[in-house]
Amino acid sequence: MKKTFALFFITAAFAAILVSSPEFSIAQSFLDKIEREYGTFAKRKALALVQMMNDARDLDDMGKMEKVNDFFNQTPYASDKTTWGVSDYWATRLEFIGKDKADCEDYVIAKYFTLKELGVPTSKLFMTYAKSIRYKSAHMVLTYYETPRSIPLVMDNYNYKILPASVRDDLVPIYSFSGDELFNAKQAQIGKMVPAAARQKRPWDELIITRQKD
């Protein structure tokens, strides 16, 4: 009987390994680059990001969103003027981790890329401009639509809970656009919509995270 149970658990563990998705990792050379440019804390945070992604990689969409939302919301908020010395700057995920401070657009970009790498369909993810009633200012959040007609779920750096937009009466949505349209766009209308992003002529996702190959 004991041998039977032991064989069962070994078989179950082996099956779990087979069905789990490949692990994420960062090359040591790239970690060294992060440390040179931003310091030891940034290197540790990049490793923590990869660990979080590996913990989340086999979860459903909601589980992935909760992990990602919680991780990036730990970073303190700071205005672009404080961080970059300009009024409007859209940081890449590497800059987000390196500076360890961000404004609303930076949270959205970091969450978007991480969820995309985790396999959440980008067709369900939208960057949404809104007006914050509480702070009386423009704001940006990442929204998730289970179906095109679903009430979106809101990932926010003001309210850390992922809630349906229907209960977020502190936000007035203005317009949404897809991340893929933004980061691949050459269309004039996208440039006019998000001028700070359009001015930055560089790769948006500078943080190189790969999946381990067999």
Side-chain angles (χ1 to χ4, degrees):
M1 182 65 71
K2 289 183 179 179
K3 289 183 178 180
T4 302
F5 275 114
L7 181 60
F8 171 78
F9 285 119
I10 291 171
T11 304
F14 185 67
I17 292 171
L18 288 178
V19 300
S20 63
S21 55
E23 287 195 350
F24 294 96
S25 63
I26 299 181
Q28 184 60 49
S29 59
F30 193 68
L31 285 171
D32 293 341
K33 176 185 176 182
I34 294 172
E35 188 170 24
R36 285 195 305 271
E37 293 184 4
Y38 294 106
T40 302
F41 180 82
K43 176 182 176 181
R44 290 175 179 170
K45 189 141 188 183
L47 288 170
L49 169 61
V50 170
Q51 182 59 56
M52 180 276 291
M53 292 174 68
N54 282 322
D55 291 342
R57 70 187 193 276
D58 294 320
L59 300 177
D60 61 13
D61 284 0
M62 188 63 190
K64 291 173 181 177
M65 288 190 291
E66 288 174 343
K67 288 276 191 183
V68 170
N69 198 55
D70 289 346
F71 180 86
F72 287 109
N73 281 346
Q74 295 174 34
T75 299
Y77 173 88
S79 68
D80 286 334
K81 197 70 175 176
T82 298
T83 306
W84 301 103
V86 295
S87 60
D88 196 13
Y89 184 88
W90 291 40
T92 65
R93 189 171 52 167
L94 176 59
E95 292 170 331
F96 182 113
I97 288 174
K99 291 289 187 179
D100 193 39
K101 45 190 166 182
D103 77 347
C104 58
E105 292 94 347
D106 305 333
Y107 291 99
V108 169
I109 291 167
K111 293 172 186 179
Y112 170 84
F113 271 112
T114 305
L115 289 169
K116 179 179 180 180
E117 286 178 333
L118 282 168
V120 176
T122 56
S123 59
K124 297 183 177 183
L125 295 171
F126 288 83
M127 300 181 178
T128 301
Y129 268 117
K131 179 180 179 181
S132 169
I133 302 300
R134 179 179 179 185
Y135 295 101
K136 298 179 180 179
S137 64
H139 188 42
M140 181 181 277
V141 297
L142 186 62
T143 49
Y144 170 89
Y145 290 76
E146 177 61 35
T147 72
R149 295 188 178 184
S150 295
I151 294 174
L153 298 174
V154 178
M155 285 165 275
D156 189 7
N157 63 290
Y158 286 170
N159 187 329
Y160 289 5
K161 293 183 179 179
I162 299 177
L163 297 170
S166 56
V167 303
R168 288 297 305 272
D169 54 8
D170 59 315
L171 295 177
V172 178
I174 300 173
Y175 57 82
S176 299
F177 50 94
S178 81
D180 282 346
E181 285 177 342
L182 170 63
F183 298 116
N184 296 328
K186 294 182 180 178
Q187 303 102 307
Q189 65 267 27
I190 297 295
K192 291 177 182 178
M193 185 184 298
V194 282
R199 286 197 300 269
Q200 294 175 230
K201 305 298 184 183
R202 57 194 171 89
W204 275 102
D205 193 15
E206 299 173 319
L207 185 57
I208 304 170
I209 298 174
T210 58
R211 281 183 182 252
Q212 187 178 29
K213 296 180 179 180
D214 296 333

